[in-house]
Amino acid sequence: MFNKLILFVSVLIFFSGCKNKTVQLSGTLLNPISGTYIFLDELKSNELITDEGNFNFKRIVKQPSFYLLKINENNFCTMLFEPGEKIKLTAAFDSLNNPAYVTGSPGTVLMVEYNRRLMKTINDLQSLSAIYRNNIDSPDLPEVINRLDSLAQSCLEEINSYTKQYIDDNLSSLVSLIALYQQVAPNVYVLDPGEDLRYFIKVDSVLYGQYPDYDPVISLHQQVQELAARYEYDNSLSLVAGEEMEAPEISLPTPEGDTINLSSTRGSVVLLDFWASWCTPCRIENPNLVEVYDRYHKNGFQIYQVSLDKSKEAWIRGIRDDNLGKWIHVSDVKYWNSAVVPLYKINSIPYSLLLDRDGKIIASNLRGDELKSKLEALFR
């Protein structure tokens, strides 16, 4: 599955959906070779470059989609088209991957910026390799190797941190998917699927809710499920050594601005639910929460719902549209930078914990019929 998704990201399959919108791409290649073809997307459509190096494309794009603008398999620029964009690009004929000028496509600009930062790291690592080759016969080679290893590790840590911040800053964009699979050398990835699985899960959590029918996103979702199983990833605060663990305190404001502590719900059986208005699976589950709340609230059942929304207006609108106003809602409206994310080790939503009357965790991620059966047993 990992190789399958790499193929998706490398070839950037075109997907058709939603209503038709035209993307116009025009540009100039500097120092072109007359008679050479330039290609756009995996369908091998092409246009001849004029002697002046100018080209023009029009494509119907029905949702944000990846394209390759390429001369050949080793000389291409990855682009993110969004419906209605009018894009202009200028690049040297022999280095499409580093265009001198791009406008009209914010997603493409973001990917170009990332690629430049990545190329700096690659060049730095190649410089270290050159130093090693120049000292191969030196009596000080062991010391040189130790120093170079330290410098290389520093380079890798810097690009790893930069990539994670880039993903956090652009989590709702498809550019975050591309960032997951960048390499500094063949089969040497910036992010490791094992050590950095949290970021694969984070990107999947957002993009799968936004683009559930887009093939690269579907493949990411399938791969994340396989990776989580392979690395036995635990996405919850669970029972430790067979003993029930007390849920950490949460103190966040309501939509009205009043702070309500999680501990204030002691004495009730509480569903601690993490969600967001932008999360499609969360919205699908909300009617089930309304049903169980109406059925068991009189028995001492409460819901304490924490939003990872990034706008207060969207959060309030989600509460209203899904008829969730009966229970407790809190949020710092900081998206994935919310204080609850590291506190509860949240890597994807929806995510929930069921707490007993003493605030101890007795179950996690119960949804639909599973939640109904658990509550029926508790309030029997």
Side-chain angles (χ1 to χ4, degrees):
M1 179 57 66
F2 186 73
N3 290 334
K4 179 182 177 183
L5 187 54
I6 294 302
L7 180 62
F8 272 126
V9 175
S10 300
V11 180
L12 302 175
I13 291 179
F14 166 75
F15 173 81
S16 295
C18 303
K19 67 178 185 178
N20 292 346
K21 293 289 183 68
T22 300
V23 169
Q24 301 178 46
L25 169 63
S26 61
T28 302
L29 298 184
L30 308 177
N31 303 314
I33 298 176
S34 181
T36 302
Y37 283 86
I38 186 166
F39 299 85
L40 181 66
D41 74 41
E42 84 290 350
L43 299 179
K44 309 300 183 187
S45 55
N46 60 76
E47 295 191 9
L48 188 67
I49 301 174
T50 67
D51 290 338
E52 293 78 22
N54 299 316
F55 60 88
N56 288 277
F57 292 99
K58 287 186 178 180
R59 292 291 179 270
I60 300 299
V61 177
K62 303 173 185 179
Q63 73 169 30
S65 304
F66 291 119
Y67 280 77
L68 287 184
L69 180 69
K70 66 181 182 180
I71 302 297
N72 55 51
E73 297 302 323
N74 298 312
N75 184 13
F76 60 86
C77 178
T78 304
M79 308 190 74
L80 177 58
F81 286 1
E82 300 207 25
E85 289 183 335
K86 295 182 179 180
I87 309 168
K88 293 185 178 181
L89 177 146
T90 300
F93 176 82
D94 58 355
S95 57
L96 281 179
N97 68 330
N98 188 25
Y101 173 86
V102 180
T103 62
S105 177
T108 301
V109 170
L110 283 171
M111 288 191 291
V112 169
E113 290 174 353
Y114 180 87
N115 188 61
R116 287 174 179 160
R117 179 63 179 81
L118 180 66
M119 288 306 302
K120 178 184 182 302
T121 298
I122 292 172
N123 291 335
D124 288 345
L125 292 172
Q126 289 175 343
S127 297
L128 297 180
S129 296
I131 294 173
Y132 168 77
R133 291 192 298 273
N134 292 336
N135 286 272
I136 196 72
D137 296 322
S138 169
D140 299 325
L141 183 60
E143 295 180 10
V144 172
I145 290 176
N146 287 336
R147 180 166 55 87
L148 294 179
D149 282 347
S150 177
L151 291 172
Q153 185 61 36
S154 178
C155 286
L156 293 173
E157 289 174 356
E158 287 178 7
I159 192 62
N160 181 278
S161 296
Y162 177 86
T163 301
K164 290 176 178 177
Q165 187 61 55
Y166 177 90
I167 289 173
D168 286 334
D169 291 343
N170 302 288
L171 196 54
S172 60
S173 169
L174 285 170
V175 302
S176 62
L177 189 152
I178 294 293
L180 291 174
Y181 298 98
Q182 296 303 305
Q183 303 177 63
V184 293
N187 297 316
V188 181
Y189 291 90
V190 174
L191 297 185
D192 178 82
E195 294 181 3
D196 301 314
L197 181 54
R198 176 171 180 258
Y199 275 81
F200 286 77
I201 292 174
K202 183 185 291 190
V203 173
D204 171 58
S205 175
V206 175
L207 295 187
Y208 192 65
Q210 293 179 326
Y211 309 105
D213 299 319
Y214 188 38
D215 283 348
V217 174
I218 292 171
S219 288
L220 170 64
H221 185 65
Q222 293 171 344
Q223 186 207 1
V224 164
Q225 291 178 317
E226 293 182 7
L227 287 172
R230 182 190 310 172
Y231 293 103
E232 297 182 344
Y233 187 79
D234 181 9
N235 184 38
S236 67
L237 287 175
S238 58
L239 305 183
V240 180
E243 296 183 2
E244 295 173 350
M245 176 182 176
E246 185 174 307
E249 178 69 291
I250 298 174
S251 298
L252 291 176
T254 67
E256 296 74 29
D258 301 318
T259 297
I260 298 182
N261 296 338
L262 175 61
S263 58
S264 69
T265 63
R266 298 283 169 81
S268 299
V269 173
V270 178
L271 182 69
L272 172 58
D273 184 65
F274 299 92
W275 77 300
S277 66
W278 49 258
C279 169
T280 300
C282 303
R283 303 294 291 270
I284 292 172
E285 179 64 15
N286 278 338
N288 293 322
L289 301 189
V290 173
E291 181 182 345
V292 295
Y293 183 88
D294 288 344
R295 182 179 302 175
Y296 295 110
H297 179 61
K298 63 181 179 297
N299 301 107
F301 176 61
Q302 181 60 273
I303 297 178
Y304 186 97
Q305 202 166 32
V306 185
S307 169
L308 298 189
D309 270 290
K310 50 186 174 181
S311 114
K312 186 174 181 180
E313 292 74 18
W315 174 35
I316 294 173
R317 187 166 56 251
I319 294 172
R320 183 186 65 242
D321 291 350
D322 289 1
N323 299 310
L324 312 180
K326 300 176 182 179
W327 55 75
I328 300 170
H329 292 275
V330 298
S331 178
D332 52 12
V333 200
K334 292 183 178 179
Y335 201 34
W336 286 102
N337 293 318
S338 172
V340 300
V341 171
L343 182 64
Y344 276 81
K345 303 178 183 178
I346 302 170
N347 293 282
S348 63
I349 53 175
Y351 170 50
S352 65
L353 297 169
L354 189 62
L355 314 182
D356 68 12
R357 297 180 189 274
D358 296 319
K360 293 182 178 180
I361 301 167
I362 55 176
S364 62
N365 284 329
L366 297 178
R367 301 190 186 101
D369 291 340
E370 288 185 342
L371 177 59
K372 293 174 186 176
S373 295
K374 182 66 173 180
L375 292 177
E376 183 179 356
L378 288 173
F379 293 112
R380 184 177 299 161

